[in-house]
Amino acid sequence: ISKEPEKAEAILEEAVADYPESSVMWVLVAITKQRLDKDTDASSAAKRALELQNDDLSGYIYKKIQDNSKIEIIPEINSIP
């Protein structure tokens, strides 16, 4: 997602078409759309993920996108105690 977001976007659009009930796919779409500065699309995808699976991951992604904050999935190695 971070190296080639445009390519990831195309692949994930196909994935959510095939698996529209997968909250994980919608989370990945939301992250990708945010990286591409497609804020409205990112928000819609995050909302869909949260509707499908109201869990910590979906809630985290939705809140970050609504707050217009950068999403950190993997912490930097220096921040691990």
Side-chain angles (χ1 to χ4, degrees), residues 22-60:
S22 172
S23 65
V24 173
M25 290 298 165
W26 285 105
V27 162
L28 294 173
V29 169
I31 294 167
T32 302
K33 298 287 188 182
Q34 186 194 48
R35 296 253 165 92
L36 293 169
D37 295 321
K38 296 181 177 181
D39 298 331
T40 302
D41 292 343
S43 181
S44 295
K47 182 178 179 185
R48 182 66 182 137
L50 193 59
E51 291 168 351
L52 291 168
Q53 183 84 27
N54 190 352
D55 61 5
D56 289 342
L57 176 61
S58 297
Y60 172 80

Side-chain angles (χ1 to χ4, degrees), residues 1-80:
I1 292 174
S2 55
K3 290 185 179 182
E4 297 185 59
E6 293 84 4
K7 186 184 258 187
E9 180 183 34
I11 292 167
L12 289 167
E13 291 291 342
E14 288 182 30
V16 293
D18 291 339
Y19 303 99
E21 300 300 313
S22 172
S23 65
V24 173
M25 290 298 165
W26 285 105
V27 162
L28 294 173
V29 169
I31 294 167
T32 302
K33 298 287 188 182
Q34 186 194 48
R35 296 253 165 92
L36 293 169
D37 295 321
K38 296 181 177 181
D39 298 331
T40 302
D41 292 343
S43 181
S44 295
K47 182 178 179 185
R48 182 66 182 137
L50 193 59
E51 291 168 351
L52 291 168
Q53 183 84 27
N54 190 352
D55 61 5
D56 289 342
L57 176 61
S58 297
Y60 172 80
I61 298 301
Y62 183 77
K63 181 174 179 358
K64 286 292 194 175
I65 288 175
Q66 294 308 306
D67 293 345
N68 207 18
S69 300
K70 183 178 178 185
I71 297 171
E72 296 292 339
I73 299 297
I74 301 172
E76 291 186 31
I77 195 74
N78 296 334
S79 67
I80 299 173

